[in-house]
Each structure stands twice: as structure tokens, then as C-alpha cells.
């Protein structure tokens, strides 16, 4: 079985290609301070705590073939992140959904990466009361982007387990609340780049795997699927993968797992809204399963993910106002 060339399908298949859009929305659309604009015009007030101190909660949902995927799950995760960080969105779920629909419509895309955030806003005199902050809402929609291209997914990514950085501990910042604190993740990517690797995964202080930049980590050993139970975002693609694996009859283990177990795995992959299920070829230079390329079960999960998506599974049709 070959890896589905999903990016190519999105670019070429008439049921995926872009709808009409005004020229100013060629790169995407945005919503800032209650106003829609092109993404090229969108800007952030420089004193916003989201910009100055990474003080924000955010989420990202994808659209494929004109359907949001698991929109309600994303909206719920976002609401829960706001609660955990004492942030208040000015919009409820229905109003947020309306904004996201409008953004995708303006961008005229049936394959979209749709981002939204609530930031703390400027710092008021009374810093100790979260209610005295004027929280702000931002959002944008751009054509869909893959963390790993068709070519990379076909051959599998070269993954590094970061040796320089551990993931920010859950007792410092709750990783289940999607947030802007990415310095550990970003610097680990530069560490990977120095070694000719393409993506990373970070451990916690106890040496257990957590997650990577924008991704959850999975591995397969003797046909069984493993993923960390804590120290990571509860990714919507992770949840989807666990469901698809169960459907394929794979035993699934959500538990503490180590870098040694990952290096010794038969197959591995990372998951994200920005790319779905992305096969790993090697970990720290060790080719998994002793054979180059994505493993058979990873390929099965990868292709099942996209075929389900394109059947409209757990999808909410974008309201293009047609
Ligand atoms: C730190 C982190 N972990 C995991 C993920 C994957 O989550 P999802 O599948 O919901 O995109 C993301 C997504 O951006 C992330 O930022």
C-alpha cells in the first residue's frame, strides 16, 4: 500500500480546489478587533499580553473538501483552555463558528487551516484580577498547510529526540490547554536542523516522551500502538488516531513511554491537525523496523484518516452562504 498523496489531491482534485475569492484574500482572511480583513493587513496591538508574554489560549481546526473536522471537539478544547488560563472569549461557540465560517468563505478555500485565539490583552492597573483585563479575540484562515509534504510522508520523517530541551512541565504550564509557549519546541527544531533531522519529540524531566512542535507522538511495536498519557496536548488528531486504530483491531496503550522504546519500535508517526498522520522513518538515526519508509500499519492509518475525512466523517459543512 502506498501513502496517499493528500497534498497533491488537495491541489488538483476539482472537489478540493479553491472557490472564488476577492484578490485581497489570496493569502487568507483574518478577524481582528471585530473586523474582517485580509491576512496581509491583519496586525496585533504591540502591548497585547498575547504578543508580549505569550499570554493566550488558541486552537486550530482544519477544513478539507469544504468540511470542518471535529469542529465541536476543537471548540470544546478551546473553551476548556480559556477556563484553565482565566481567559474569557468575547464569543460563545455559535458566534465563534460563525466567524470561522466567514473566514473560510472569504478565503474561498475548501482546504483550510483555521486558527483562533483569545489573548490577555493590554495590562491594566490591577494585574491581580483576571477580570480587569480586556481579553481580545483574533482569528485567521489560510490555505491548508502540511507539516510534512507528500514526499516527506512517503519516505518518512527523520526524527530527533531532543537532548538539549525537556518539555515545559505540566506543573508550570498545563499542556492540555493549547498555548503560545513554544520556545522549547522551537529550539528543539533548530537542534534537529543542526543534525540534519526534520522534526523532534521532547521528553519530560523523568525521561518519558511527551510531544513535539505541534505534534503528538505514536509508535508501534509488535502490532500494538503506544502514545504518552501525559505531558502533552490531547490532540484531536491523536484522539482520531486512537479511534481508527481501535477500529482496525490494534491494541492501544496510552501510558508513560520512553525514548528507548521509541528507538526500538517497528514503526512510528507524529500527528497534527496540520498534516494528519505523518510517518517517521528514523529516530536519532536508527531506521525503525530495520527497513526504510513508513511501516504497513502507519500507512494503513494514514490512508484511512484521509479517506474518512474525505467521506465527511465527523465533518461540519462550511457555510459558504451559497
Ligand atoms: C504542542 C502540541 N501538541 C500536539 C498538537 C497536535 O494537536 P492536534 O491534533 O489537535 O492538532 C499540537 C497542535 O498544534 C500542539 O501544538
Amino acid at each position: 500500500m502506498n501513502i496517499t498523496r493528500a497534498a497533491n489531491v488537495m491541489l488538483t482534485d476539482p472537489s478540493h480546489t479553491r472557490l472564488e475569492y476577492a484578490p485581497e484574500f489570496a493569502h487568507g482572511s483574518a478577524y481582528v478587533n471585530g473586523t474582517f480583513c485580509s491576512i496581509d493587513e491583519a496586525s496585533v496591538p504591540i502591548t497585547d499580553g498575547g504578543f508580549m508574554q505569550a499570554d493566550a489560549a488558541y486552537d486550530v481546526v482544519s477544513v478539507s473538501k469544504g468540511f470542518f473536522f471535529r469542529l465541536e471537539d476543537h471548540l470544546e478544547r478551546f473553551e476548556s483552555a480559556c477556563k484553565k488560563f482565566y481567559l474569557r472569549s468575547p464569543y460563545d461557540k455559535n458566534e465563534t463558528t460563525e466567524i470561522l465560517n466567514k473566514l473560510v468563505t472569504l478565503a474561498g478555500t475548501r482546504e483550510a487551516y483555521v486558527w483562533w485565539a483569545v489573548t490577555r490583552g493590554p495590562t491594566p492597573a490591577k494585574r491581580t484580577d483576571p477580570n480587569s483585563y480586556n481579553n481580545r479575540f483574533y482569528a485567521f484562515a489560510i490555505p491548508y498547510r502540511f507539516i510534512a509534504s507528500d514526499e516527506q510522508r512517503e519516505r518518512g520523517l527523520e526524527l530527533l529526540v531532543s537532548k538539549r530541551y525537556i518539555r515545559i512541565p505540566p506543573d508550570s504550564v498545563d499542556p492540555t490547554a493549547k498555548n503560545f509557549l513554544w520556545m522549547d519546541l522551537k529550539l528543539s527544531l533548530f537542534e534537529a536542523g543542526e543534525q540534519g533531522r526534520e522534526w523532534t519529540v521532547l521528553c519530560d524531566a523523568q525521561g518519558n516522551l511527551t510531544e513535539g512542535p505541534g505534534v503528538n507522538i505514536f509508535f508501534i511495536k509488535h502490532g500494538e500502538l503506544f502514545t504518552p498519557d501525559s505531558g502533552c496536548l490531547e490532540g484531536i488528531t491523536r484522539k482520531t488516531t486512537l479511534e481508527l486504530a481501535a477500529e482496525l483491531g490494534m491494541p492501544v496503550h496510552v501510558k508513560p513511554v520512553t525514548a528507548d522504546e521509541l528507538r526500538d519500535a517497528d514503526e512510528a508517526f507524529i500527528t497534527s491537525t496540520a498534516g494528519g498522520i505523518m510517518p517517521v522513518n528514523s529516530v536519532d538515526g536508527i531506521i525503525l523496523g530495520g527497513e526504510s519508509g513508513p511501516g504497513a500499519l502507519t500507512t494503513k492509518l494514514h490512508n484511512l484518516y484521509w479517506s474518512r475525512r474525505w467521506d465527511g466523517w465527523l465533518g461540519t459543512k462550511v457555510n459558504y452562504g451559497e
Side-chain angles (χ1 to χ4, degrees), residues 58-60 74 77 167 178 182 185 211-216 232-238 271-274:
Y58 79 111
D59 218 292
V60 178
H74 285 278
R77 182 173 70 179
R167 186 73 179 113
K178 200 163 157 62
W182 268 62
L185 302 171
E211 60 187 342
V215 301
N216 289 110
C232 58
L233 180 70
E234 288 168 356
I236 305 297
T237 326
R238 172 180 178 267
T271 62
S272 172
T273 293

Side-chain angles (χ1 to χ4, degrees), residues 7-300:
N8 187 52
V9 171
M10 289 175 183
L11 279 176
T12 56
D13 187 290
S15 63
H16 294 258
T17 47
R18 224 161 152 185
L19 302 165
E20 276 183 21
Y21 54 89
E24 64 266 32
F25 295 112
H27 301 134
S29 52
Y31 184 80
V32 179
N33 287 339
T35 307
F36 290 96
C37 61
S38 83
I39 193 144
D40 304 316
E41 287 168 333
S43 65
V44 178
I46 203 164
T47 55
D48 190 325
F51 173 71
M52 290 180 71
Q53 289 141 351
D55 186 353
Y58 79 111
D59 218 292
V60 178
V61 65
S62 65
V63 171
S64 193
K65 237 177 152 179
F67 284 82
F68 288 105
F69 185 54
R70 303 194 91 139
L71 180 59
E72 188 57 32
D73 286 336
H74 285 278
L75 291 167
E76 249 171 45
R77 182 173 70 179
F78 179 71
E79 249 187 28
S80 144
C82 286
K83 269 199 197 105
K84 287 171 182 170
F85 290 154
Y86 303 97
L87 289 160
R88 294 166 325 268
S89 176
Y91 304 116
D92 66 18
K93 280 188 194 171
N94 288 335
E95 291 164 329
T96 305
T97 301
E98 250 178 61
I99 293 167
L100 304 186
N101 270 292
K102 178 85 189 279
L103 286 168
V104 176
T105 303
L106 287 171
T109 175
R110 281 185 286 190
E111 306 294 322
Y113 174 101
V114 187
W115 180 103
W116 74 103
V118 167
T119 63
R120 192 74 59 193
T123 304
K126 191 164 184 214
R127 291 166 191 243
T128 50
D129 178 6
N131 294 320
S132 66
Y133 291 75
N134 184 9
N135 297 166
R136 290 168 180 267
F137 182 97
Y138 302 90
F140 66 80
I142 53 174
Y144 186 70
R145 42 161 79 152
F146 275 86
I147 281 176
S149 65
D150 282 349
E151 182 267 332
Q152 285 174 308
R153 297 196 323 285
E154 277 177 326
R155 64 167 165 73
L157 291 163
E158 313 302 341
L159 189 75
L160 179 83
V161 179
S162 177
K163 310 296 177 295
R164 283 191 208 149
Y165 309 101
I166 57 162
R167 186 73 179 113
I168 297 173
D171 287 344
S172 299
V173 179
D174 183 348
T176 66
K178 200 163 157 62
N179 63 73
F180 281 7
L181 289 141
W182 268 62
M183 193 59 88
D184 50 348
L185 302 171
K186 260 303 172 43
L187 293 180
S188 77
L189 276 179
F190 302 149
E191 179 190 1
E194 285 170 23
Q195 300 183 33
R197 313 277 187 241
E198 298 174 290
W199 216 262
T200 59
V201 61
L202 281 71
C203 292
D204 62 17
Q206 289 70 46
N208 290 314
L209 294 172
T210 60
E211 60 187 342
V215 301
N216 289 110
I217 177 79
F218 285 82
F219 65 81
I220 297 170
K221 187 73 185 174
H222 303 316
E224 306 196 2
L225 186 65
F226 295 81
T227 196
D229 60 341
S230 60
C232 58
L233 180 70
E234 288 168 356
I236 305 297
T237 326
R238 172 180 178 267
K239 175 178 177 172
T240 305
T241 303
L242 292 170
E243 289 172 8
L244 292 177
E247 210 183 295
L248 291 177
M250 291 173 76
V252 163
H253 306 277
V254 181
K255 64 188 270 291
V257 280
T258 65
D260 279 342
E261 289 176 274
L262 173 64
R263 284 185 286 262
D264 186 46
D266 300 325
E267 305 181 26
F269 56 87
I270 53 177
T271 62
S272 172
T273 293
I277 293 170
M278 295 165 280
V280 165
N281 180 51
S282 71
V283 178
D284 294 347
I286 299 163
I287 307 245
L288 299 186
E291 204 180 312
S292 292
L297 288 168
T298 302
T299 303
K300 220 177 199 179

